[in-house]
Amino acid sequence: MKTSNLLIATTRETPADAVVISHQLMLRAGLIRSLAGGLYNWLPLGVRVLRKVEQIVREEMNRSGAQEVLMPVVQPLELWQESGRLQDYGPELLRFEDRHQRGFALGPTHEEIITDLVRNEIRSYKQLPINFYQIQTKFRDEIRPRFGVMRSREFIMKDAYSFHLDRDSLQQTYDEMYDAYNRIFSRIGLDFRPVQADTGSIGGDGSHEFHVLADSGEDDIAFSTESDFAANVELAEALAPRGERPAATAELTKVDTPKAFSIEEVSNCLQVKAKTIAKTLLVKGATEDAPIVALVIRGDHTLNEIKAEKLDLVAEPFELASDEEIKATAGCGAGSIGPVGLNIPVIVDRTAANMADFVCGANIEQVHYTGANWDRDAKATLIADIRNVVKGDPSPCGKGKIEIRRGIEVGHIFQLGNKYSKALNANVQNENSRSQVLEMGCYGIGVTRVVAAAIEQNHDDKGIIWPEAIAPFSVCIVPMQMHKSPRVKEAAEALYNELTTAGIEVLFDDRQERPGVMFNDMELMGIPHRIVIGERGLDKGEFEYKHRRDEKPQDIAQEGFIDWLKAKMA
Amino acid sequence: MKTSNLLIATTRETPADAVVISHQLMLRAGLIRSLAGGLYNWLPLGVRVLRKVEQIVREEMNRSGAQEVLMPVVQPLELWQESGRLQDYGPELLRFEDRHQRGFALGPTHEEIITDLVRNEIRSYKQLPINFYQIQTKFRDEIRPRFGVMRSREFIMKDAYSFHLDRDSLQQTYDEMYDAYNRIFSRIGLDFRPVQADTGSIGGDGSHEFHVLADSGEDDIAFSTESDFAANVELAEALAPRGERPAATAELTKVDTPKAFSIEEVSNCLQVKAKTIAKTLLVKGATEDAPIVALVIRGDHTLNEIKAEKLDLVAEPFELASDEEIKATAGCGAGSIGPVGLNIPVIVDRTAANMADFVCGANIEQVHYTGANWDRDAKATLIADIRNVVKGDPSPCGKGKIEIRRGIEVGHIFQLGNKYSKALNANVQNENSRSQVLEMGCYGIGVTRVVAAAIEQNHDDKGIIWPEAIAPFSVCIVPMQMHKSPRVKEAAEALYNELTTAGIEVLFDDRQERPGVMFNDMELMGIPHRIVIGERGLDKGEFEYKHRRDEKPQDIAQEGFIDWLKAKMA
């Protein structure tokens, strides 16, 4: 395509309201324009990228045996009533009435619709398992839409829903989706991790998120340096330290720690490292016998509330004890608590339980103990994993150590179980002609979000650097002073035609712009391969080539250039 | 694909609420399912057809130089306010408020959005002309959605909008779109006509509708037997008859016509043909001087109200005179009016003006004249084209005669002029650096509607007959008793693999169903080429082949079969 036939909508200024880099670059490169809060027009350059992502997703979903369907954007509220989500779902579900005063919503997700379809169409176990997907426009009325298409109100999802007679079958399709998602994000060319995830409010067991790794990600991902293991930091298990706890060598000694309450203050005051201090927190308990319990972690660690609240002794949802409760229980403020002499259950983190000769609060205001030791000075009611993993921890998979990177969630696969099929009475006849509730899985990819995530991961100060598979064009041809040099024009047109005939997508810059403007635009738009054609090069029988990631251009002989380029692109 | 991997959702019964054949067959063949009034789920078989239509549309739009964009379904009402359509558009525009009480609508069309985009992005005449299109979900809150996806509430449109510095440029893109639409519907394989159309409420000049010819169509299309001319019956010009009006030969004679009011009754009463009777209607006039005017057409013709109301003397909108007005003006009831002695303007249709010795009302209850003649007995104030064309009329293009067929509108191209660009201040700088309002065209195709129209045109009592280009599968393989015959299974699988490798889309019926069930399903689903493989055929080295339109199957040698089939498909 020639730039004269394409809306080039590049801008130099960084839009004031665009905070994240992908939002800035999508506006600056002319991929999108804002229509209203959280609503975007996709410009021609953006649509080219979007369609490529869609096509890869579609091909891999088809390859997995999933069947493409298309459900409406507008959904009747009756079905949301029936599933019970009408109450649960907040104002993000945009509801309205049609001209006959019937209630509808803009679909943020389609569990109800597909389950309704399946209960009407699938009658026999012989039709199972079955997996339906669609690539479709969705709407979520975010209270504060932001980050461009990363958290917009209207967006495109690939959502899939599978139905099964039993859990084994669900697990099998789930595994196939896991594989398909790996193929999809690999083909797109992203550095990503499938991450073990919590099943959250949607319910059911078994869930992975697919995260594109990028410094700007909202989530912390823990993964192994030596295996495929990856999990949300909140969910990654912190193993117990290897080896026995060292023997006690020091005496339990009371020391004054004036104005030292935080770990940092105590560490400075006593001139000891944070990892030698045990941090004690009082939280609400789950039982009447123990309305307050103590949690002890190592001073350099952070408490993991999700892990803590899963313990039988700890209240769910997790809640810290109030100042009054702390005073009444420990006899001091929050900054001086310690496990020695505490008359409540003491839950000790696995790593903290391996400390010896440690520092801890003395349950006297501004006083700590040094030389404290478990068993001898304080009893652990329970030893459990209640902290967040940190870099360097042994990976829970048994191989390698933990690394932590930030990630952007672009996909999510879920074993829903029978949550929706039960609520909506989606049954089939099993082999014994008995009615059986279906098992269900669901599998999403944020198609528009993938575009933004790809940019978050692949850019520099000049603009976007598209992965080859989703670049709007693979190659750009930038002719120098074409309008003054018939020779340059001829060579550029000839190369353009040859590359196009070879099935390569080329953007030919035929604008009468200065070279600097053309270079800047092509770099901003992130075209992977740039070919500059000028008089000087032609004199030597050469084109100038530069990959978007290269520091400097190189001169390549015109003869055999296309084969050279194809090899480069492969 | 094998049927075991495809949702086959065929049904035998004709759904009670489906009136038109395409709706019935789309339900019965398992292409769609109703979700709520005017909302449909597209099942896998339907999506395959839909995507093929989309792809042909996309390819031809790209070939025409149009650029694909994607605008939101949800549109801010501010822009509708600005264009002035917020008032004009009825309750078909579904409006609602978001969680912040801002007004939005589900987009039934995108003139406002694209014009807003263009006024922000297009600054110079150098960027013109430009043509943007999208293939996108739209919503129109029809008061009575019906005919399945033919008139649903949510539907998929290809809508395009072009912008220009002047009318000449608009005309050029309009002509290119005209050509692109012809290519699109030809490639899809439909019998269609581009039809001159009224520009209606959307305004502007120059408009063609593209109609798929089918007996069930809602519109009457007049077209020439010998040229490309086609127009909505309402708009086709009825030429004046050739030759002079015959001379008067009869006396003006009053005859009693008891109880004869309609043309049919008068014709029976006097034993004359309808074409010898002049029918006179009184309608509201446009001026104070002539609040009632008479319209005269030949008895076998019908009045064209659109043509009539365009005349200066006739009120717009068109309205018949009341019984009281008729009595006061003509002195009789509606069934006895005639032009003789009428003291108001008399507008005579071109063909009626060529009558001699005709019958007409005598302005006396139940009395007519015979032997009436223009000039001698009655004066025509104006001779004009005020009737609908009929079959056999000379075509207004000058070639051939008029034929009339029914059509389904699937596309529409419009020269909008500056209606939206003016309202929304969409200007560019012209060559003289002066600000100039843009000219605009718009071009729609009802993508989901095309699927239904294709069925209306291509079906028989067994089901759908898909045009090759949009068939969900080109070929189906129906093996006989495959589960009992390893030989049939092997031959069928081998052929399936060969055809699939050759890039042909094959549906392999691997269900354990009786042959009759499989045949019925494949015919209902409309797969163009059917191959039956059985023991008997294999004994003779033959497959059985039947095109969906063939009466009977034929036996074709296995050897060279694929080449034979390819030739057949070409």
Side-chain angles (χ1 to χ4, degrees), chain A residues 18-131:
Chain A
V19 183
V20 298
I21 192 76
S22 60
H23 189 193
Q24 291 170 1
L25 288 176
M26 288 182 81
L27 290 168
R28 286 189 51 212
L31 300 177
I32 56 168
R33 284 296 182 266
S34 171
L35 171 62
L39 298 176
Y40 291 91
N41 290 312
W42 285 76
L43 304 187
L45 200 73
V47 169
R48 291 182 73 93
V49 178
L50 195 57
R51 294 279 174 247
K52 293 195 177 187
V53 174
E54 278 185 13
Q55 192 52 28
I56 291 171
V57 170
R58 177 172 286 121
E59 285 172 13
E60 294 301 334
M61 290 304 292
N62 289 346
R63 183 182 311 219
S64 81
Q67 301 183 38
E68 188 173 3
V69 296
L70 185 63
M71 294 177 270
V73 174
V74 172
Q75 305 184 353
L77 284 185
E78 285 92 339
L79 289 173
W80 285 74
Q81 182 92 53
E82 203 175 338
S83 75
R85 280 212 290 184
L86 190 59
Q87 292 75 34
D88 302 348
Y89 222 99
E92 289 187 0
L93 182 68
L94 201 153
R95 300 150 215 230
F96 55 87
E97 290 187 336
D98 71 0
R99 64 192 293 170
H100 300 298
Q101 285 78 53
R102 289 196 205 100
F104 288 90
L106 293 181
T109 172
H110 278 71
E111 280 84 2
E112 280 81 359
I113 312 302
I114 195 75
T115 307
D116 175 57
L117 182 67
V118 161
R119 70 177 166 184
N120 292 323
E121 298 302 324
I122 305 291
R123 299 296 180 168
S124 159
Y125 71 95
K126 289 180 190 165
Q127 294 172 280
L128 300 178
I130 199 156
N131 190 6

Side-chain angles (χ1 to χ4, degrees), chain B residues 65 189 191 214 230 250 268 278 288 359 364 392 509 556:
Chain B
D191 184 11
N268 286 336
E288 275 186 34
V359 172
I364 301 165
D509 200 339
I556 306 294

Side-chain angles (χ1 to χ4, degrees), chain B residues 236-357:
Chain B
E237 184 182 1
L239 297 181
R242 290 195 193 160
E244 297 274 297
R245 188 175 71 210
T249 60
E251 293 283 304
L252 184 69
T253 312
K254 247 181 222 165
V255 291
D256 281 340
T257 48
K259 291 183 186 164
F261 303 101
S262 69
I263 294 295
E264 199 187 347
E265 287 160 352
V266 175
S267 164
N268 286 336
C269 175
L270 299 179
Q271 290 293 305
V272 296
K273 288 189 173 161
K275 63 189 281 189
T276 67
I277 308 172
K279 176 158 66 179
T280 307
L281 300 101
L282 299 191
V283 304
K284 307 255 179 180
T287 63
E288 275 186 34
D289 292 349
I292 303 291
V293 297
L295 303 179
V296 182
I297 57 174
R298 217 170 68 179
D300 58 334
H301 287 154
T302 55
L303 181 72
N304 183 311
E305 300 181 1
I306 296 171
K307 290 178 181 176
E309 73 181 9
K310 283 189 180 152
L311 300 176
D312 290 342
L313 283 166
V314 178
E316 191 180 354
F318 178 90
E319 194 180 343
L320 288 171
S322 67
D323 287 346
E324 292 71 36
E325 287 167 330
I326 292 171
K327 183 80 188 167
T329 308
C332 62
S336 308
I337 318 169
V340 179
L342 260 194
N343 200 19
I344 53 171
V346 175
I347 301 169
V348 184
D349 178 66
R350 287 168 173 173
T351 313
N354 219 39
M355 296 168 82
D357 300 339

Side-chain angles (χ1 to χ4, degrees), chain A residues 246-253 355-358 370-374 376-377:
Chain A
T249 60
E251 293 284 307
L252 184 68
T253 311
M355 296 168 81
D357 300 340
F358 56 85
T370 62
N373 279 280
W374 295 113
R376 189 191 72 184
D377 308 318

Side-chain angles (χ1 to χ4, degrees), chain B residues 78 87 134 145 161 165 170 203-204 213 227 241 285 346 364 404 421 441-442 506 516 540 560:
Chain B
E78 284 93 339
Q87 290 76 34
Q134 62 177 349
Y161 308 90
L165 198 62
L170 169 57
L213 301 181
S227 82
V346 175
I364 301 165
I404 294 179
S421 45
C442 73
V506 185
K540 294 186 282 174

Side-chain angles (χ1 to χ4, degrees), chain B residues 166-185:
Chain B
D166 55 40
R167 285 288 170 120
D168 286 350
S169 167
L170 169 57
Q171 184 67 48
Q172 195 179 326
T173 297
Y174 183 87
D175 293 343
E176 285 163 10
M177 283 295 96
Y178 183 93
D179 294 341
Y181 275 41
N182 277 292
R183 291 197 304 271
I184 287 167
F185 296 117

